[in-house]
Amino acid sequence: MTTLVERLRAAGCVFAEEEADLLAGAARDDGHLAELAARRIGGEPLEHVVGWAEFCGLRMEVGAGAFVPRRRSEFLVREAVALAGPGAVVLDLCCGVGALGAAVAAQVPGGVELHAADVDPAALAYARRNVAPYGGSVWEGDLYAALPASLRGRVDLLVVNAPYVPTQEIGFMPSEARDHEPLLSLDGGADGLDIHRRVAAGSAAWLAPGGRLLIETSSRQSPSTASALGAAGLATRTVTSQELYATVVIAEA
């Protein structure tokens, strides 16, 4: 194990000891461990290699070609749970592997009616497994076009972590993200907010009266995200977490 730690550290893994333990725990045998180690040392995200990511104290299944849930998104979950009541209709839009919706459902006493939607079939294969313990339904398609008509006007909580990195900044992202996560989960267009504007424009038709939309953004982009939601007729406020370096705009119908 010491040798593996040293190899991981030499490859730039800051938490080499912890990663070595996780790789060893995921390996079936020594040969498999060598294979997993080679993938990690080669630059693949640890979560893709071991097959799961920790998020809000839960294990979310992930794998090659899927966006890895970020710890900062736990702030959005915290804010959503504070607003949710038992039986709330929760929609995780641009859901990726379904981490936001699953984490909200896991924490709301009495449970929720959970839906998750994304355009990426590879991500949805993981999302189906992650939301299954909470009876979640998964829909494939482009934003609201994926959803059944029965959801229209019924969504109490719409949680969104859409891509918001400006196209020209993708090249500055860590290679783990840039080279191993799908571009469609990262690239938000010229100013990073193309998807935010589309989410905002269609939201009113799907939110229940008094329903809330929570969308992750950056502190720099939050005024523009809030403006887009305001233009859709929603009342907005912005909340931040210094601990997690997270910013969320909350909008109410």
Side-chain angles (χ1 to χ4, degrees):
M1 185 63 70
T2 301
T3 301
L4 176 56
V5 169
E6 291 172 348
R7 291 173 63 207
L8 290 167
R9 188 174 291 117
C13 300
V14 177
F15 303 104
E17 292 84 357
E18 292 87 341
E19 292 199 14
D21 288 340
L22 289 170
L23 290 168
R28 295 186 297 270
D29 51 43
D30 289 345
H32 190 219
L33 177 58
E35 176 188 333
L36 298 181
R39 290 173 58 192
R40 179 59 182 140
I41 291 166
E44 286 190 49
L46 177 67
E47 295 84 358
H48 285 181
V49 176
V50 300
W52 58 273
E54 183 178 348
F55 186 75
C56 292
L58 303 170
R59 281 195 177 194
M60 301 294 176
E61 292 193 32
V62 299
F67 179 81
V68 176
R70 310 299 203 250
R71 185 165 178 259
R72 64 174 170 268
S73 298
E74 295 183 0
F75 179 61
L76 189 154
V77 171
R78 188 187 313 163
E79 293 293 316
V81 169
L83 296 171
V89 178
V90 176
L91 170 61
D92 184 354
L93 195 63
C94 302
C95 71
V97 301
L100 292 183
V104 171
Q107 295 182 51
V108 175
V112 302
E113 179 185 327
L114 177 60
H115 299 266
D118 200 284
V119 73
D120 182 4
L124 291 180
Y126 297 105
R128 289 186 180 91
R129 297 196 286 273
N130 288 327
V131 305
Y134 314 103
S137 298
V138 173
W139 312 98
E140 180 180 341
D142 184 22
L143 297 182
Y144 302 106
L147 305 176
S150 59
L151 266 183
R152 187 176 291 270
R154 293 186 56 238
V155 177
D156 298 305
L157 281 178
L158 174 51
V159 296
V160 186
N161 183 15
Y164 56 90
V165 179
T167 302
Q168 66 272 20
E169 295 180 17
I170 295 292
F172 300 110
M173 297 187 71
S175 62
E176 289 185 12
R178 185 181 67 242
D179 298 333
H180 296 282
E181 294 179 323
L183 185 61
L184 62 82
S185 71
L186 304 173
D187 191 342
D191 67 351
L193 300 178
D194 284 358
I195 307 301
H196 285 203
R197 282 186 283 269
R198 293 182 59 210
V199 168
S203 60
W206 297 91
L207 288 171
R212 278 95 163 209
L213 186 160
L214 296 88
I215 186 166
E216 181 176 303
T217 186
S218 70
S219 58
R220 172 170 56 90
Q221 294 162 302
S222 60
S224 297
T225 299
S227 178
L229 291 163
L234 305 179
T236 69
R237 60 187 175 94
T238 300
V239 292
T240 61
S241 167
Q242 297 301 317
E243 173 197 2
L244 296 176
Y245 301 99
T247 301
V248 172
V249 176
I250 301 175
E252 183 172 350

